[in-house]
Amino acid sequence: MKTQDIEFLNELQEELKTQPNDGNAAPVFWVIRQYEDQITDSDFGEKTLYAHSDGDCSEFKTLEDLRLFLDEELDSIEELDSIEELDSIEHCETLDEAFDIILADYNDSGYFYRYDAISVGVIQPDTLFLTKKEAQQHIENNRHHYNRTVHTYAMTAWRSRVVENLWDILRTADFNSLKEENNEREESKYFEYTQEEYYALIKAESKEKANYIYWRDVVGHGDETARAGLMTEYNPAQLTKQEALEKFLLADEEAKPSELYESVANCVILVDSCLI
């Protein structure tokens, strides 16, 4: 594993251990929530919505909003033939009073409407964060996508065994041990062994260990099999030693201790001692 990945996991672990849970049971995750208006029965309404919708929706918060809309959209509102017909609205003192007139006399198309509504907390789609800090940063970076009530909202992954296990691993695993293994790998060197039948490149911490691996896992198995935690073979007729080394290094992070490999004449044998 790369050093920067290990550092990321350590930082995430510390954040998971120290962050607040906002009153929720573990495992906790965060989403983004904001309050939005939802139409309801008049007996339960907390506010009134005033709007015009003919495909494009315009909501009016104030009487001035309505007046500006009517001035700009006069030609497109069939029920209003002239500016003079707006006089009765111009003299209204409240938005509700103006809508009484509009709904009664200028709404044959049904584009104007007035509804009672309540504010409801709505979880925003496609939002999920393991830390509250990242959720807050998301809001700061994307505030233009939300309204002024947007906030982080903590939830519990209730009875989700997979999430519980992952959460426990992230909070308790010793990621520093992976860094120590990386350091050991970085201290390794490469030793070459050339024979008529093959060219062997062995990754080891010392010449002594490389020699031991060479005799045990390469020579010791002759032409039958060559054994190691990782052994990859390349034909030198198709690949130079340098190209083989580059491929070996590239494959190193993804390598897994594997099965026996047949030793073929004139092959390049790459052995990673760290995986033995």
Side-chain angles (χ1 to χ4, degrees):
M1 185 177 290
K2 296 179 180 178
T3 300
Q4 54 265 40
D5 293 335
I6 297 173
E7 291 174 353
F8 164 77
L9 289 171
N10 275 325
E11 291 173 2
L12 175 60
Q13 185 177 81
E14 183 63 23
E15 190 72 24
L16 291 175
K17 288 181 177 180
T18 58
Q19 70 180 354
N21 60 13
D22 289 0
N24 287 264
V28 179
F29 65 95
W30 274 262
V31 295
I32 304 301
R33 191 176 78 156
Q34 66 183 13
Y35 286 97
E36 299 176 4
D37 293 332
Q38 179 176 301
I39 296 171
T40 186
D41 186 275
S42 58
D43 292 338
F44 302 97
E46 300 171 348
K47 62 173 70 175
T48 304
L49 301 181
Y50 306 91
H52 176 275
S53 180
D54 58 357
D56 293 326
C57 185
S58 299
E59 185 176 350
F60 314 113
K61 300 292 187 181
T62 66
L63 181 58
E64 186 61 26
D65 290 343
L66 175 62
R67 287 171 176 163
L68 290 173
F69 174 81
L70 294 175
D71 288 341
E72 294 172 359
E73 304 293 333
L74 176 64
D75 295 338
S76 63
I77 300 176
E78 298 176 0
E79 295 86 354
L80 296 174
D81 296 326
S82 66
I83 193 68
E84 286 75 17
E85 294 191 34
L86 296 178
D87 286 347
S88 57
I89 297 174
E90 287 291 334
H91 291 90
C92 292
E93 295 183 357
T94 66
L95 182 58
D96 200 60
E97 183 182 347
F99 254 77
D100 284 339
I101 297 173
I102 289 175
L103 294 177
D105 301 328
Y106 306 111
N107 196 37
D108 293 344
S109 62
Y111 293 150
F112 287 97
Y113 61 87
R114 175 174 55 190
Y115 291 117
D116 291 295
I118 58 174
S119 291
V120 177
V122 178
I123 294 173
Q124 301 304 290
D126 303 324
T127 60
L128 186 150
F129 306 92
L130 292 181
T131 68
K132 184 174 183 177
K133 180 180 179 180
E134 188 189 12
Q136 292 171 329
Q137 189 62 53
H138 171 83
I139 291 176
E140 290 301 314
N141 295 339
N142 300 277
R143 191 173 292 276
H144 55 286
H145 290 299
Y146 305 109
N147 64 37
R148 60 184 179 82
T149 67
V150 64
H151 57 280
T152 62
Y153 187 72
M155 301 180 72
T156 298
W158 187 60
R159 292 188 177 179
S160 175
R161 180 60 58 186
V162 171
V163 175
E164 287 181 10
N165 288 343
L166 174 60
W167 197 77
D168 286 340
I169 290 170
L170 289 174
R171 293 183 76 251
T172 61
D174 181 10
F175 297 118
N176 285 323
S177 63
L178 298 178
K179 185 181 294 186
E180 293 172 0
E181 291 178 8
N182 273 9
N183 292 337
E184 291 178 2
R185 284 170 174 261
E186 291 172 359
E187 293 172 358
S188 297
K189 300 177 182 178
Y190 293 86
F191 301 91
E192 297 178 310
Y193 298 85
T194 304
Q195 300 293 335
E196 291 183 3
E197 293 82 10
Y198 54 77
Y199 160 79
L201 179 67
I202 299 179
K203 180 183 178 184
E205 297 174 7
S206 65
K207 178 67 173 177
E208 290 73 17
K209 185 170 184 179
N211 287 341
Y212 173 75
I213 293 169
Y214 172 68
W215 286 101
R216 185 191 68 183
D217 296 328
V218 181
V219 177
H221 290 271
D223 291 334
E224 298 176 1
T225 58
R227 181 179 63 82
L230 168 68
M231 190 168 291
T232 308
E233 298 179 357
Y234 296 104
N235 188 330
Q238 301 173 346
L239 212 60
T240 67
K241 294 178 183 179
Q242 182 60 34
E243 288 171 334
L245 174 58
E246 290 175 356
K247 285 183 175 292
F248 183 48
L249 294 175
L250 184 63
D252 189 47
E253 287 189 6
E254 302 298 328
K256 297 179 180 178
S258 55
E259 305 165 355
L260 299 180
Y261 290 81
E262 291 186 2
S263 179
V264 182
N266 294 320
C267 70
V268 178
I269 301 177
L270 306 175
V271 183
D272 185 350
S273 67
C274 294
L275 296 178
I276 296 175

